[in-house]
């Protein structure tokens, strides 16, 4: 099944290039965490404060909710910029063989901005289609559950047929929505199988993480962080494989 082949190939991309994966992702992740920690510390927040309802209420009364939400918004922005930095670097490494030079991958602002713009474009398209689709679904009455499931599956297929524009933006070879849709013609079945495989892989990782936390919590935390980083790169590799196979015509080895 091609869906399984794409997943296995994407996992292989990461495991075969684990050293390069660490060079692409490790330092940006550390920088992102450091910046978020600095934002939280300068805002006066702490883990004790965030888990103490009375302390949170007092902070809101003294400083207002605006300070908290500004910190939260800036932290989310830092998180997404860090993610896009990693994604763009990984796409370029796989598709252009642009090897990381040292431990800090080049921060390509133009490609990151293009990547973010394409991502927002896909999000807008999905929302514009999702709202009328759900309204139509609820008119089905007793068949609403089937309609919701069908809508979700359609959206999953739609998103994956459009995401080829993301790796294209990362490597500087712009692809239109129409070109991406045409290039991925006939891939719906593959996408659905791929989604099932990803879902099962996530469940397996959660089970292993839970067991490791029960046996030795520090090891469990380390495993969860490592697994999250690897799965993030695997998901980006899936987009890379999708683009390479359907747009560039590469074989799935």
């Amino acid at each position: 099944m091609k869906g399984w082949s794409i997943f296995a190939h994407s996992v292989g991309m990461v495991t075969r290039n684990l050293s390069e994966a660490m060079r692409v992702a490790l330092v940006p992740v550390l920088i992102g965490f450091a910046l978020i920690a600095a934002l939280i510390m300068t805002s006066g927040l702490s883990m004790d404060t965030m888990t103490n309802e009375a302390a949170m209420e007092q902070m809101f009364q003294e400083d207002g909710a605006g300070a908290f939400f500004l910190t939260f918004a800036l932290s989310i922005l830092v998180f997404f910029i860090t993610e896009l930095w990693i994604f763009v670097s990984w796409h370029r490494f796989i598709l252009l063989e642009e090897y990381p030079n040292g431990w800090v991958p080049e921060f390509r602002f133009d490609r990151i901005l293009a990547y973010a713009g394409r991502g927002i474009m896909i999000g807008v398209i999905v929302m514009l289609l999702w709202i009328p689709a759900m309204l139509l679904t609820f008119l089905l009455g007793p068949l609403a559950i089937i309609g919701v499931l069908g809508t979700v599956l359609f959206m999953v297929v739609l998103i994956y047929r459009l995401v080829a524009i993301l790796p294209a933006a990362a490597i500087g070879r712009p692809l239109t929505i129409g070109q991406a849709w045409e290039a991925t013609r006939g891939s719906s079945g593959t996408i659905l199988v791929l989604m099932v495989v990803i879902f099962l892989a996530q469940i397996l990782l959660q089970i292993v993480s839970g067991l490791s936390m029960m046996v030795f919590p520090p090891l469990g935390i380390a495993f969860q962080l490592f697994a999250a980083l690897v799965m993030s790169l695997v998901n980006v590799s899936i987009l890379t494989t999708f683009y390479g196979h359907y747009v560039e015509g590469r074989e799935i080895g």
Side-chain angles (χ1 to χ4, degrees):
M1 293 183 293
K2 189 178 287 187
W4 166 254
S5 298
I6 289 175
F7 179 79
H9 182 70
S10 300
V11 172
M13 278 185 186
V14 179
T15 55
R16 288 191 303 269
N17 302 286
L18 199 55
S19 174
E20 286 77 13
M22 292 299 102
R23 289 177 180 271
V24 163
L26 185 58
V27 171
V29 166
L30 293 176
I31 291 174
F33 277 143
L35 289 174
I36 291 172
L39 284 169
I40 292 173
M41 291 175 63
T42 55
S43 69
L45 288 171
S46 67
M47 288 302 296
D48 291 336
T49 303
M50 289 187 288
T51 55
N52 188 317
E53 185 176 345
M56 286 293 288
E57 288 182 2
Q58 182 178 354
M59 188 194 72
F60 284 154
Q61 290 174 359
E62 293 177 354
D63 302 328
F68 172 78
F69 288 115
L70 178 61
T71 300
F72 179 75
L74 289 175
S75 298
I76 293 295
L77 180 62
V78 169
F79 173 80
F80 277 115
I81 291 174
T82 303
E83 288 277 281
L84 295 181
W85 183 8
I86 295 169
F87 293 171
V88 168
S89 299
W90 187 251
H91 285 313
R92 294 183 68 85
F93 165 62
I94 296 297
L95 295 170
L96 301 178
E97 297 185 4
E98 187 176 280
Y99 280 75
N101 186 16
W103 283 92
V104 183
E106 184 175 352
F107 188 88
R108 295 181 174 273
F109 181 76
D110 60 333
R111 294 301 94 213
I112 290 172
L113 191 61
Y115 201 95
R118 301 305 192 283
I120 292 171
M121 184 191 303
I122 292 174
V124 170
I125 292 172
V126 169
M127 287 303 300
L128 289 176
L129 292 175
W130 176 266
I131 294 172
M134 290 305 295
L135 290 174
L136 181 61
T137 292
F138 286 117
L139 293 176
L140 296 175
L143 299 177
I145 294 177
I146 297 176
V148 169
L149 178 60
T151 300
V152 170
L153 293 177
F154 170 74
M155 288 300 171
V156 168
V157 171
L158 171 69
I159 291 169
Y160 258 86
R161 288 193 61 181
L162 298 183
V163 291
I165 67 175
L166 298 178
I171 63 175
R173 298 173 186 170
L175 196 69
T176 67
I177 291 292
Q179 289 170 332
W181 187 261
E182 181 62 29
T184 55
R185 183 186 297 274
S187 64
S188 298
T190 297
I191 292 169
L192 294 177
V193 171
L194 182 59
M195 290 301 98
V196 172
V197 173
I198 293 173
F199 177 72
L200 293 176
Q202 294 284 8
I203 290 178
L204 180 60
L205 278 176
Q206 289 297 321
I207 292 173
V208 174
S209 296
L211 291 174
S212 62
M213 286 290 289
M214 291 172 61
V215 174
F216 187 54
L219 177 63
I221 294 172
F223 177 81
Q224 285 182 336
L225 292 173
F226 178 76
L229 180 58
V230 169
M231 278 307 298
S232 180
L233 288 174
V234 167
N235 287 325
V236 179
S237 296
I238 289 172
L239 302 188
T240 310
T241 303
F242 226 74
Y243 173 84
H245 179 65
Y246 286 103
V247 177
E248 295 187 345
R250 302 189 187 197
E251 293 294 324
I252 303 174

